[in-house]
Amino acid sequence: MAAALRFCLLLSALFVAGGAFAAPADLVEQGRRIYTEGISVSGQPLQASRDGGAILSGPQAACIGCHRASGMGSVEGSQPVSPIGQRYLFATVGDLVMANMDGRRGKTLNQTHAPYTDEGLAMALRQGVGISGRSLSTVMPHFVLDEQDLAAIKAYLQQLSAGYSPGVSKEVIRFATVITPDVSEARRAVFKTMLQSALTAKNSSTSPRKRYMSSAASFATQTERRWDVQVWELTGEAQTWGAQLEAHYREWPVFALLSGISDTTWAPVDAFCAAQKVPCWFPSVAVPTSGNAAYGMYFSRGVALDAAVLASYLQDASAETAPKRLLQVQVQGSGSAELAARSFGQSLMAKDRTVQTITVDSDAVKGRNELIKALQAAHPGDAMALWLSAEQLRWLDGIQPPAGVQFYASASLAQLGSPQWIAPSWKPVLQVVYPYALPQERQANLAYLHSWLKLRNIPLVDEVLQSELFFSLNLMTDTLQDMLDNLYRDYLIERTEDMLGRREAGKVEQENRDRLTLGRLGRAAVLAEAVNGSAVGDAANPLAAQQRAFGLGESGGTTVYPHLSLGPTQRFASRGAYIVRFAAGNIDTLAAQSEWIVP
Ligand code: HEC
């Protein structure tokens, strides 16, 4: 066995390094350029025609536009775009794989066909005739390809999604969840408890003959797998996290990072995901990335979104409420506050306004003194953004807010999605950029979460965090089920881009129906009643009563966000926020000061 393995390794080394075998690597690269960039082997733009007329050239003609990075295809209008990875084009009938083509109408599986030959591929690409002689849909262009191009594209397709991504075997999918060192003990604990509880349930249901969570299709194709999840708890300074992640990853290659939690910055984790092409799957974070997420899928842009929303709000303010001067306070060395301040400044600059930035020390005593001075610098008619964390917001205790100044905080940065405490003198004046559905609005969305927690005796510690984790786990379960045995990371991302919005709509509809037919109002109603002070029962019109109680008219999601959706290449599922105030005396009741603002 060991000898055979060495022999294989030797052969593959020869294959890569040996002169006579070197062509394939080049060919694959040439094929990649055709597939993803629309550049022929000659270096000229790829040419194609469609519908007998329209000429496509270069990137417009690139295969990736329709067949996607994974080669798993998509749906164009109502036309399924076939999967064309190795396991689809070249597999013999016995090894055929199945793909769910169109998530909108139940299970539509891909067409099967004989394995593609060189001639067959040439016919399909040049003349639009499939391997079995069938004319392909006119959506598939006819390409101008010479022999070299054909050899290159074939070499590329032969290795495209040819095996599972790292972290996947026939029985198991490996994940890791990352916790950065700044996360408070309470949040860390409830996060781990929920994760553990969900995994236990998941894995006991995927053990043989207990396929509680599996769909008919995944059952038929035997694609249910156990999840092995490691918790990677990072330590030390943020600049060392990348190396820690790499070390973990070498020991334990994972398919994806499943959820995760950070109170400061997630940017080093996002960078790791981009470098390793590992999906960063909906973690609970305030600063997901400092650039453009490549392999990260996030709830929102976090503090950068909050800053942009605030800039928009202030800019659009009517003449009477428009602030005279804009000021912002950031804390020295806080990456999150600096990012917020930078984003705020940039958003304002785009609107021809400037902001004066005051930086205070990060030490609690010194910082608080400097904050007092900063507050004195604000005059009536000014607006001041306080980019403070939950901890730093406590510095305001005992300080009297100066009169006539508008003050704003970021809910992402200060964890005000489910606020714990606000200094009493600030409650009436502090306004908050709030990228969530209002608490009184979202109870219906969270009914399932609340009963899930109750059933397991897990406390509600942080509604935003717990809702995000719950969603992240459930969405992974559902998406993997849809993917059947096609466990490629790019496909995970593509599938989510295409399906997230539809899945939300479908779930909301189903949950509303369930509630109605089951006739149980559950915890959601109790909470809704507590918040709204409304009576729930209405025998004559149960649906209307429930809609009133849950505020279903306005909300329509499954999380603390009003609505989640994505599109191709989008990475942030929620893209707006409210400006809110605390209703006097009750920290859980928020009064919206604005519509939902999408900057
Ligand atoms: C504008 C969209 C579009 C582009 C660009 C495109 N395709 Fe297609 N392709 C399709 C559609 C749609 C089908 C399915 C046609 C059908 O089943 O009738 C298809 C089918 C195919 C098939 C036949 C698969 C089968 O199941 O028999 C192959 C092979 C193929 N494409 C390869 C490519 C390659 C390689 C490129 C790039 C050089 C490419 N396609 C670019 C839309 C596209």
Side-chain angles (χ1 to χ4, degrees):
M1 180 63 191
L5 190 66
R6 260 201 306 279
F7 183 64
C8 285
L9 289 175
L10 201 67
L11 260 189
S12 58
L14 272 179
F15 188 79
V16 174
F21 289 84
D26 290 356
L27 260 189
V28 171
E29 170 56 17
Q30 288 170 341
R32 188 196 63 77
R33 301 220 304 167
I34 298 176
Y35 190 94
T36 60
E37 294 165 26
I39 302 174
S40 306
V41 174
S42 65
Q44 296 301 308
L46 179 65
Q47 301 290 332
S49 61
R50 219 163 110 176
D51 279 343
I55 303 291
L56 302 173
S57 168
Q60 298 171 311
C63 325
I64 195 169
C66 297
H67 293 281
R68 314 295 291 269
S70 66
M72 288 300 297
S74 55
V75 182
E76 286 273 303
S78 59
Q79 170 66 52
V81 180
S82 336
I84 59 168
Q86 189 271 341
R87 297 167 81 203
Y88 287 89
L89 282 192
F90 306 107
T92 51
V93 176
D95 295 333
L96 264 182
V97 214
M98 281 195 279
N100 264 331
M101 291 311 297
D102 188 350
R104 291 171 305 181
R105 2 195 141 98
K107 304 276 182 284
T108 38
L109 297 177
N110 55 301
Q111 299 205 2
T112 57
H113 55 72
Y116 266 82
T117 58
D118 289 4
E119 300 71 46
L121 190 59
M123 282 289 280
L125 297 181
R126 287 173 172 158
Q127 290 158 43
V129 178
I131 186 74
S132 34
R134 178 178 66 92
S135 290
L136 300 175
S137 144
T138 52
V139 177
M140 165 72 182
H142 295 186
F143 292 89
V144 181
L145 299 165
D146 64 20
E147 292 307 307
Q148 274 188 306
D149 293 324
L150 276 176
I153 194 71
K154 180 184 157 202
Y156 186 74
L157 295 174
Q158 273 179 326
Q159 56 79 59
L160 181 61
S161 299
Y164 304 131
S165 290
V168 178
S169 74
K170 275 260 167 245
E171 294 82 29
V172 177
I173 305 187
R174 281 180 176 182
F175 297 101
T177 192
V178 172
I179 305 181
T180 63
D182 44 75
V183 176
S184 75
E185 211 33 67
R187 279 157 55 82
R188 187 181 291 251
V190 77
F191 180 88
K192 286 203 226 169
T193 307
M194 269 183 76
L195 180 68
Q196 199 47 57
S197 183
L199 287 177
T200 307
K202 159 87 186 126
N203 285 337
S204 63
S205 73
T206 48
S207 62
R209 274 178 290 283
K210 279 181 77 185
R211 296 174 173 273
Y212 160 66
M213 281 216 192
S214 64
S215 69
S218 59
F219 182 81
T221 51
Q222 306 252 300
T223 49
E224 274 291 304
R225 286 169 168 82
R226 197 180 75 235
W227 292 12
D228 271 358
V229 184
Q230 276 194 354
V231 180
W232 293 350
E233 297 190 64
L234 304 180
T235 56
E237 296 294 312
Q239 60 266 31
T240 68
W241 297 351
Q244 294 177 41
L245 290 165
E246 292 291 345
H248 281 302
Y249 185 71
R250 274 193 300 277
E251 289 270 304
W252 177 268
V254 291
F255 180 62
L257 296 187
L258 179 59
S259 183
I261 173 169
S262 167
D263 290 353
T264 54
T265 178
W266 185 257
V269 187
D270 184 70
F272 159 82
C273 287
Q276 292 293 351
K277 302 193 167 171
V278 170
C280 258
W281 183 261
F282 295 100
S284 287
V285 295
V287 180
T289 164
S290 45
N292 280 320
Y295 274 80
M297 319 228 43
Y298 297 106
F299 290 101
S300 83
R301 269 189 194 279
V303 299
L305 169 70
D306 290 5
V309 167
L310 181 57
S312 229
Y313 176 69
L314 293 174
Q315 184 62 20
D316 294 345
S318 65
E320 310 89 75
T321 55
K324 288 195 197 121
R325 289 189 311 158
L326 301 175
L327 303 118
Q328 61 179 347
V329 174
Q330 66 174 15
V331 177
Q332 179 84 46
S334 156
S336 327
E338 282 160 12
L339 179 76
R342 203 166 56 242
S343 308
F344 190 51
Q346 281 165 357
S347 305
L348 288 169
M349 195 140 53
K351 300 170 195 294
D352 278 332
R353 288 212 64 170
T354 52
V355 56
Q356 185 186 328
T357 305
I358 303 163
T359 305
V360 302
D361 202 273
S362 59
D363 173 77
V365 176
K366 231 173 138 203
R368 186 169 184 276
N369 284 332
E370 292 178 5
L371 182 61
I372 294 174
K373 277 208 214 87
L375 294 172
Q376 286 161 359
H379 308 311
D382 290 348
M384 183 180 256
L386 300 171
W387 303 123
L388 303 174
S389 68
E391 213 33 56
Q392 293 153 357
L393 212 54
R394 289 175 180 264
W395 295 354
L396 294 173
D397 194 19
I399 304 177
Q400 207 47 45
V405 182
Q406 303 170 31
F407 287 103
Y408 298 93
S410 150
S412 302
L413 185 56
Q415 287 163 21
L416 293 171
S418 19
Q420 310 291 338
W421 185 86
I422 291 283
S425 55
W426 284 79
K427 218 186 282 167
V429 295
L430 193 64
Q431 300 188 63
V432 178
V433 189
Y434 195 82
Y436 312 110
L438 302 174
Q440 51 271 44
E441 233 176 52
R442 71 193 186 213
Q443 293 311 318
N445 295 7
L446 299 180
Y448 272 62
L449 168 67
H450 289 145
S451 47
W452 188 91
L453 291 173
K454 202 171 170 201
L455 211 67
R456 287 162 180 76
N457 260 325
I458 300 175
L460 187 64
V461 173
D462 181 328
E463 196 167 70
V464 170
L465 168 68
Q466 288 171 272
S467 163
E468 288 180 338
L469 174 59
F470 192 62
F471 173 85
S472 183
L473 296 171
N474 287 331
L475 182 67
M476 182 61 88
T477 304
D478 292 355
T479 311
L480 288 178
Q481 232 169 60
D482 275 355
M483 288 165 65
L484 301 179
D485 201 32
N486 305 290
L487 297 178
Y488 321 117
R489 291 164 175 172
D490 283 328
Y491 186 43
L492 177 77
I493 290 177
E494 293 157 9
R495 193 88 206 178
T496 310
E497 287 173 352
D498 292 350
M499 291 306 301
L500 185 61
R502 264 184 226 125
R503 174 189 183 271
E504 280 277 288
K507 288 247 161 195
V508 167
E509 203 177 291
Q510 184 198 329
E511 288 178 10
N512 288 344
R513 248 198 332 265
D514 283 1
R515 264 195 293 272
L516 195 61
T517 46
L518 294 176
R520 264 195 283 116
L521 298 180
R523 181 158 163 72
V526 178
L527 285 172
E529 197 166 12
V531 171
N532 300 339
S534 64
V536 206
D538 180 344
N541 191 346
L543 178 60
Q546 291 197 18
Q547 284 182 333
R548 261 204 312 284
F550 297 132
L552 289 183
E554 297 116 83
S555 66
T558 62
T559 64
V560 287
Y561 297 92
H563 176 69
L564 297 175
S565 70
L566 288 170
T569 75
Q570 289 183 346
R571 292 290 174 267
F572 304 96
S574 181
R575 296 176 283 278
Y578 292 109
I579 307 290
V580 303
R581 267 181 201 282
F582 298 101
N586 185 355
I587 199 159
D588 287 331
T589 308
L590 301 177
Q593 303 295 293
S594 75
E595 298 283 293
W596 182 252
I597 300 172
V598 179

